[in-house]
Amino acid sequence: MELVTPSIGLVFWTVIAFLFLLLLLKKFAWSPILNLIHDRERSIESALTAAENAKDELKRLTNENEQLLKEARAERDLILKEARELKEQIVNDAKKTAQVEGAKMIAKAKQEINSQKAAALDEVKNQVSHLSLAIAERVLRKEFSDKAKQEELVSDLIKEVKLN
Amino acid sequence: MYFNCIFNFKKISLSAVFALFFAFFTLQAQAQDSIDSASSVEKMVVKEDHPEHHEEKFDPTVTILEHISDTHDWHLWGHTSIHLPVILYTPAGLEFFSSGNFLNEHHESVDYTGKYNTYRNEEEHIRVIGADGKVDEQASAKVIDFSITKNVAALFIAVFIILVMFIGVAKTYKKRVGKAPKGFQSVVEPFIVFVRDDIARPNIGYKYERFMPLLLTIFFFIWINNLLGLIPIFPGGANVTGNIAVTFVLSAMVLIVVNVKGNKYYWSHIFKPDVPFWLLPIMWVVEIIGIISKPFALMIRLFANITAGHIIVLSLISLIFIFKTLAIAPVSIAFVLFMDVLELLVAFLQAFIFTMLTALFIGSAVEEHH
């Protein structure tokens, strides 16, 4: 019974000691400690959130960069392709033009040659006719010195002429 | 090093408190009688009133009860003890004297005549002695003992240790705002966070913050007192949390806090429970018993657990003196070691359970209607 009977003195001192401890600790220990732990936890939490956000942002930026790079690459390819096509076209055009031009020149040359040929032939014809006239003149002069022969010729010519 | 200032501060204040202690209380360190008190068996005997050389019968019950109950002087070793002050409230006025006055130079119990009465220390109860040399029961009943007993002194030491510990930790917190805990701070922080996240928050809910100082104080007060009780030498060894008066005060605090902070739902649950009206009077009785019995269980649980632990350890040690042989000592020591380790767990566990149930009761008192 002795053991389970609280003694008034100890009760009194325990009340005093405990309340003293409670008040002092509340003021000088628990409030600052709990507040600072709370603050630290909040700052850690916000830091983690910020890190998460930064990671997302970085991911987004990386994606964007990649997208940009991809687009740039595609554009480059396109430009190269176009350039190649253009080159081909230009070469082709040049070839075609050259061909046409060549053909034209050839045609012109042919024409020239033909006309030159014709002119030369005319010249030759003229020369031949002049020559033949000169020959004929000389032959005629020589021939027409003989009267008998003139008559014979005339008669031959008359014979040749047919009255139809 | 970084901690030097804190460490020095603690050392200085610790030595200060001990100096204060020794100045305040009279330490009667007398030369030990080297003749026949050398055998430890005799040191453990119940009364050393007779210096004659004969072995007294060893009564473990008396020894153990003496060790777990409160005393007016703090036994250190042999005949050396700290004589704590006796403070008596008598109808005539306050009496203030050292408990060393109850012993003469031969360590025999004697009566002491104070300002108003003559007193006798009768098994740690201060009684008034009448003119005829016998205990005056009527006058003794009027005297209230407010002495700084062993438990009160141990309580003060524990309060001091807790204050130094946590105010020091709070300083470290203020110095290292936003940084990771370091040193002793990182030892304490898990327990503070444990009380907050595993005891207060789940049981009380979002209003937990108002009750944190009370819960933390109860938790560390009980835990540190439990641990100090496990230390067999000064300044530990007192059975503070195993004393019904201390647990009574703690549970009375819980009772007051729960009922003062109880909201209208708590009270309507007690006075207007959802039962047929003719059952109400019975329910009132039941509920009021419930209000009392919850803290009562807290009081008994802590008291019984800690006292039981002390009794077991002391019983195991007593085995050596019961069998009067050293051969049993290794067995005793092994069991005591085991029990002490178990008691370390119990020390924490009881602090946790007390705080947990306090939080639970507060939680049920402040919870909103569901």
Side-chain angles (χ1 to χ4, degrees), chain B residues 34-142:
Chain B
S34 53
I35 331 152
D36 46 20
S37 59
S39 94
S40 53
V41 176
E42 275 203 341
K43 273 191 214 162
M44 291 294 287
V45 295
V46 184
K47 290 203 184 292
E48 297 182 86
D49 288 345
H50 313 290
E52 296 96 302
H53 190 258
H54 72 89
E55 277 193 4
E56 279 184 56
K57 187 143 174 29
F58 174 72
D59 185 351
T61 318
V62 175
T63 311
I64 290 169
L65 281 181
E66 212 176 56
H67 271 85
I68 60 172
S69 54
D70 209 356
T71 56
H72 282 85
D73 47 14
W74 198 324
H75 180 248
L76 296 181
W77 60 82
H79 284 311
T80 311
S81 36
I82 299 172
H83 296 303
L84 301 162
V86 174
I87 302 166
L88 297 177
Y89 172 81
T90 65
L94 279 180
E95 286 268 26
F96 188 91
F97 57 91
S98 163
S99 65
N101 290 319
F102 286 124
L103 291 176
N104 64 12
E105 61 270 26
H106 303 299
H107 307 292
E108 290 162 347
S109 288
V110 289
D111 294 345
Y112 171 74
T113 308
K115 263 190 286 183
Y116 309 112
N117 293 302
T118 303
Y119 304 101
R120 179 182 293 166
N121 185 0
E122 212 180 58
E123 304 201 335
E124 301 305 334
H125 290 283
I126 310 286
R127 299 303 195 92
V128 176
I129 303 297
D132 54 350
K134 285 196 179 136
V135 173
D136 182 348
E137 291 294 347
Q138 239 181 348
S140 298
K142 282 180 189 152

Side-chain angles (χ1 to χ4, degrees), chain A residues 137-149:
Chain A
E137 206 184 300
R138 282 192 193 165
V139 166
L140 281 179
R141 265 183 207 147
K142 213 174 181 179
E143 290 278 315
F144 281 101
S145 49
D146 184 3
K147 209 122 168 206
K149 273 201 180 171

Side-chain angles (χ1 to χ4, degrees), chain A residues 2-15 17-22 24-26 28-30 32-34 36-37 40-41, chain B residues 125 145-148 152 155-156 162-163 166 170 173-174 179 181 189 192 196 212-213 216-218 220-221 243-246 249-250 303:
Chain A
E2 165 77 44
L3 207 56
V4 289
T5 315
S7 69
I8 297 170
L10 189 50
V11 168
F12 171 76
W13 287 116
T14 311
V15 169
F18 187 79
L19 289 180
F20 175 77
L21 184 71
L22 179 62
L24 278 189
L25 283 183
K26 186 179 180 180
F28 295 112
W30 302 139
I33 289 176
L34 287 171
L36 289 170
I37 288 180
R40 167 146 41 83
E41 277 171 353
Chain B
H125 290 283
D145 187 357
F146 285 111
S147 302
I148 307 295
V152 177
L155 195 67
F156 289 166
I162 296 171
L163 281 177
F166 288 102
Y173 268 101
K174 283 177 195 156
K179 288 187 194 161
E189 181 166 325
I192 295 174
R196 189 191 62 182
M212 276 307 287
L216 283 168
T217 310
I218 285 179
F220 285 105
F221 179 82
N243 190 296
I244 195 91
V246 175
V249 170
L250 289 175
F303 158 74

